Amino acid sequence: MIQIYHNPRCGKSRNCLAFIEKSNQDFEIIPYLTETPSFDQLKILLGQLNLEPIQLIRTKEKIWIENFKGKTLSDDEIINAMVENPILIERPIVVKDGKAIIGRDPELVASFLD
C-alpha cells in the first residue's frame, strides 16, 4: 500500500495526493503535522529516501531559521528537530514497497507509482 505524508495546506502535497488518487491504487494518508513520525520512524523514512537528515529539512521555514540555521547539529539533533517541529519535514513524502520519494514533481511520482 502507498503511504503519503501529507500537509493539506501545501499545494504540492495536494497535487501529489490528487495524482495518487487517480492512480487507482490503495493508499493511506498520514497527516504528519498532527500524527508526527517518531524519531525511529523518521530514521526509517530517511533510509527509504536515501537522504541525510538535513536533506529532509525545509530550511526556509521560520522555525529553522530562528532556532537552527548556522548551528552545527548532529544527524540525531536534526531528526529530533523534525520530531519536535514537524513543519520542518519536506513534503509530500510518498512510500511504496519499502522505498520513498519526495513527491514534489508529478513526473517523478508517476514513475514511482508504476
Side-chain angles (χ1 to χ4, degrees):
M1 176 186 291
I2 297 166
Q3 295 176 309
I4 177 172
Y5 287 78
H6 177 59
N7 176 352
R9 296 184 66 200
C10 171
K12 297 276 187 189
S13 194
R14 289 192 307 271
N15 291 341
C16 183
L17 177 59
F19 199 87
I20 291 170
E21 289 171 336
K22 290 178 188 173
S23 76
N24 293 320
Q25 297 183 52
D26 291 334
F27 66 92
E28 171 189 15
I29 298 171
I30 300 169
Y32 72 93
L33 293 176
T34 56
E35 295 177 22
T36 306
S38 69
F39 182 92
D40 291 336
Q41 289 170 319
L42 281 172
K43 284 198 75 125
I44 291 167
L45 267 178
L46 286 161
Q48 292 171 322
L49 288 160
N50 196 28
L51 295 178
E52 296 297 319
I54 192 65
Q55 294 174 291
L56 193 57
I57 290 285
R58 295 177 54 82
T59 57
K60 294 182 181 173
E61 286 290 336
K62 183 177 179 181
I63 291 170
W64 181 261
I65 292 167
E66 291 179 353
N67 298 294
F68 304 104
K69 185 178 179 179
K71 294 183 180 178
T72 302
L73 302 171
S74 70
D75 286 351
D76 285 356
E77 289 171 322
I78 294 169
I79 294 169
N80 279 324
M82 289 187 274
V83 170
E84 294 168 12
N85 306 282
I87 194 71
L88 294 176
I89 301 170
E90 186 60 77
R91 60 189 179 253
I93 300 171
V94 182
V95 180
K96 180 182 179 187
D97 298 331
K99 295 182 181 175
I101 61 165
I102 296 173
R104 298 182 68 77
D105 178 355
E107 291 177 9
L108 180 62
V109 175
S111 64
F112 184 72
L113 295 179
D114 285 342

